[in-house]
Amino acid sequence: MSAVREQVRRRSGAPARARTFVITPVVVVYLALAVLLVIGSVLVGLHGGVLLDHGGVLNILTRGTVLGLVAIGQTLVIVTGSLDLSVAYLVGLCSLVAAETMAGSTAMIVPGVLAALAVAAVVGLVNGLVITVLKANAFIATLGVALVLRGYLEHNYTGPAGTVPRAFQHIGYDRIGPVPVAALLMLLLAAAAWWYLRRTRTGYHMYAVGGDVDVARLSGVRTGRTIVTAHVLCAVMAGLAGVFLAGRLGSGAPYVGTDAGYDLESIAAVVLGGTALAGGRGGVAGTIGGVLILSTLDTIFDDLELDSFFKDVVRGVVLIAAVALYARRRTAGRSA
Amino acid sequence: MRARPRLTGGTGPVLVVLLVLLVALAFAGPAYAEPSGYLALLKRAAPLVVLAVGQYFVIVSGGFDLSVGSLVTAEVVVAARLVDGDDANTWWVIALLLGCGILVGLVNGLITTKLLVPSFIVTLGMLLVLDGAVFLWSGGAPRGALSPSFRVLGRGSAEVPVLGQLPWSVIVLLVVVVAAVWFMRGGTGRLLLALGDNENVVRLAGGGVDRLRLLAFVLSALLASVAAILLAGFAGVSAQVGDGLEFRAITAVVLGGVLLGGGRGSVVAAAAGALSLEALFSLLNLLGVSGALESAVQGVIIIAAVAYAAHGAGLRRMLRRPVLDTV
Amino acid sequence: MNRKWSAAALAGALTLAGCSSDLPATQAPGGTSESAKAKSEFFDQSEFERQLRFRTAKAVGLDSQDGAAKPWEQALEPQLADTAKYAKPGGGYHLCFSNASVDNPWRQVGFKTMKEEVKLHPEITKFTVLDAEAKDDKQISDIQSLASQGCSALVVSPNTTATLTPAVEAACATGVPVIVFDRGVKTSCPVTFIHPIGGFAFGADGAEFLKDKVKPGGKVLALRILPGVDVLEQRWAAADQIFSGSQVKVVGVEFTNGDAAKTKSIVNEYIQREGKIDGVWMDAGATAVAAVEAFQDAGAAIPPFVGEDQQDFLRMWADEKMTAVAPTYPTYQWRTPVIAALRVLGGKQVPREWVLPQPKVTQDTLKDFIKQDMPPLHYAMCGCEGMPGYPAPWK
């Protein structure tokens, strides 16, 4: 149980360590997803429906898109040993910035997207700087920023605002067969983030900082810069989610992120995907699996017409059970 | 005795803040020219203070309890349905609520300690489960009603010699704070504090780490039940009664200078943090600050409080990571 | 790095666009007044006057001979639209419903009432409901999903007005009759849009009552739930309009977030600050009881109150012999979409905009609405007392 020993051991072979297990959390997640799809198909079949028909696949992927975007960003910060509670309000803010900048004009699409992402990057920068320079705990820092954003939204907006031109609404509705284009883009970004975490220097530093910030600093990692980078990227991903939602909703909506609870839900998806909440371990591949599990659960519940309150209970149990499973696996691996 | 300075250390700033706020209130509102204004403030603040004290135990031992808000909602809804407006049901339902609180705390604590799931996740899961389960049980909306005797604790006053009319909730508040201070001064309390500071030291010294953590979660959930009883008494049945209380309680504790990640801060400071938060809201209201900006002010203040705490002391804890129960 | 990726990806998306889309090709004109209102100023003089006029208009049944039509079958100034193209005689209907949420007692009571209404009609053989859990994005998916399930008719209760418009347009484009109720959408494609008179009338009912009951110069406290919800903004806009043209002095406008404890604290602070409050206006009754209790606890007389038709408030009103009024946003409107769907499928005409009467509970009618055995947050104006299963599902 010695945290220090564990971290040193991890440090000595972070990527290689995965190979010592036959079954990594990522494999577990996708196995669980497969099992869920089978069980879900049977249950929905007994209920007289089909889970994985055209509409079902479309549903699972559409629902996974926004959560996926936010969760990819959340993975980066959690791997770095931080977390971001401001993403939900940021999603709403960015949808507004994008829709208001576009104001219904096709020519303003690119400026609108860029403006939203710029705002997101600034918020991420503030998160990162509050954590590294003011030395505030990430939980409180991002909760504080979330409250500030909320105050701004409540003070300035009384409901949906801005208009997204028709051309940009295609991003929310186009699909290739049953696969929404936006879901493909989300997966593309997931692949990019995976590559970034696993193959670039900064990505490696994120694992190092998340593993043990002091050790990382002593080995020459610029920890502050790494944390700030992770937060900026996380915020930009949330910004993209907001932009996408603006396209889907046709306008910006201040509470679109909070109504869906993307702050806690994205954290849930990340840990469901096997990333350790304490940082230093996990990755984007698992997160996408976690997101798909959550959206598949949602779709199954809808097909079975279960009470939404029941969904919450199952989500809570699944979350705890999954993380308990990973923790057990880790301790088992350690003692072996 | 070595731990004494640490126990009280850090209480100073928040008490100064609280004092400033209380004085400002006196200038801002004529109601605060007399003690009754402050008594009303104390009565309003009682549930949050009680929650903050509970949250303090968990935070100081290195965890989080995100489930307290939904626990409050769940217990209020359960109480309304079981009491069903009948005074005869009051006392056994109160006992049951406290029992349920202990049970929820045990589950939180056992999953955290035995299954090694970070408390953030355990209590987030518990939040979802409680939120869903209680409305599944009650059919989506509260039903039944609270009895007058159930509501006395949150609403009524007791005749106290010398002081005159004192709200029951203020008495409960004082009892909780005094008991918490007494507890933290005892051996178990110090071990709890040490646990958040350095788990291994406690383990090596032979302290039952798991049992201490479990105790912290049970205390938090138990006090959340007390807060639920006070809130239900104060304001009656509502389906939103607990919304956001978990974050407000954590904010209050942090405002009191208690570090997330554990190991430092006093319970008096946590209680003072909660009181300051309520005083601040009252002040903003009196000054006519728009309700919409209230949360922005709250956000800035908690960041400032944490930044102050981080820079004022405990440089060692710089960049301390947020969620550190296990691993 | 990521930014470049995203820019490239977005560019790619735009070129891919058109591959196949669930977005309807044409841009529907849509009601413009609604969007102008949502922007900033919620007060709209012509709509305000229209709603005030509706309050005294005579509600009529839709079929000529039904003098005994119930309020949820009636309409105000209906302009009937032909629905022959949707006619699908023979029953065996699959009714689909995309619900915004069931996260508050009003929607709970309404939804239960709707389920009972469905049971009254054997020609509906399947009733599929998707609950969006107050998420716009989920409701869009829900509507898409229902549009592909072979529904005979689709009922939508939108979570927000502006944001669900594209999804509703898309559903209309599949040829299924779409019925919208409660909140509207900014398109004219649904067969009918069902709603009670509206927020202006609700707000005005309460404000006029206080204007009448509070002496000139009296202090009125206005309690609102949240900013930014169009229906609630309209309620306050109307009340504000009426108060500003009266001798009544509004000493405070506060948001309670629907939180009883916060409501009580606010009222308590105002009693302390102002010494005396002569009237309380509320935009929704959820926390009305807490507000009344604040007066009791402060030992102050309960002033004239504006509440809503929730049982706990009605009981308190009677028990404390208060001077009060309860404007309603009747939950019986949840019955109407089912009735409308069956009319449409039967080829009968429906109003394009189906405006339902919006009664208020007054001193005289109070005793008719108090139901001692119902839950405290049950809404009295549910129109459900005569339904076969009453009262079990609502308890």
Side-chain angles (χ1 to χ4, degrees), chain C residues 27-39 44 161 185-188:
Chain C
Q27 176 119 30
T32 45
S33 68
E34 206 98 34
S35 66
K37 232 163 25 205
K39 274 277 194 285
D44 175 336
T161 297
V185 283
K186 290 196 279 181
T187 164
S188 53

Side-chain angles (χ1 to χ4, degrees), chain B residues 55-62 184 192-193 196-197 258 262-265:
Chain B
Q55 189 72 245
Y56 165 84
F57 292 124
V58 178
I59 288 183
V60 87
S61 66
M184 287 310 288
L192 201 62
L193 197 60
D197 189 31
V258 181
R264 200 172 65 91

Side-chain angles (χ1 to χ4, degrees), chain A residues 55 58-59 62-63 66 76 109 113-114 117-118 121 150 154 157-163 166-171 173-177 181 185 188-189 192-193 195-196 233 236-237 240 243-245 248-253 255-256 259-260 262 265 298 302-303 305 307-309 311 315, chain C residues 1-3 5-7 9-10 12-14 16-28 37-40 42 102-103 108 126-131 133-138 140-142 144-145 148-149 159-167 169-170 226-230 233 257:
Chain A
L58 182 66
N59 240 326
T62 311
R63 272 171 203 176
V66 182
L76 298 180
I109 289 179
V113 172
L114 292 180
L117 296 187
R150 175 180 160 184
E154 284 185 351
Y157 292 96
T158 53
T163 322
R166 207 68 178 170
F168 192 71
Q169 290 189 22
H170 281 285
I171 186 95
Y173 289 89
D174 285 6
R175 57 192 164 76
I176 303 169
V181 170
L185 292 179
L188 216 66
L189 284 168
W195 173 81
Y196 182 77
L233 290 177
V236 169
M237 293 304 291
L240 278 173
V243 169
F244 165 72
L245 280 171
R248 203 160 157 77
L249 304 177
S251 66
Y255 305 113
V256 66
D259 283 346
Y262 286 127
E265 187 117 356
D298 254 6
D302 276 352
D303 284 353
E305 295 183 66
D307 205 311
S308 65
F309 300 117
K311 288 184 203 175
R315 271 187 214 139
Chain C
M1 185 62 75
N2 240 348
R3 287 273 289 281
W5 270 101
S6 48
L10 279 168
L14 295 173
L16 268 173
C19 204
S20 72
S21 182
D22 293 318
L23 197 65
T26 51
Q27 176 119 30
K37 232 163 25 205
K39 274 277 194 285
S40 54
F42 282 88
V102 286
D103 62 359
Q108 282 288 344
K126 193 172 172 201
F127 181 45
T128 304
V129 184
L130 291 182
D131 172 8
E133 297 161 42
K135 303 171 192 171
D136 288 343
D137 188 38
K138 182 169 186 308
I140 291 173
S141 301
D142 287 350
Q144 279 181 313
S145 163
S148 70
Q149 286 186 21
N159 190 45
T160 51
T161 297
T163 49
L164 282 155
T165 305
E169 284 173 4
L226 289 172
V229 181
D230 40 11
E233 288 286 356
N257 293 327

Side-chain angles (χ1 to χ4, degrees), chain C residues 8 134 163 174 265 269 294 335 352 374:
Chain C
T163 49
T174 65
S265 300
E269 273 168 11
R335 299 186 69 164
R352 284 211 66 79
M374 296 307 276

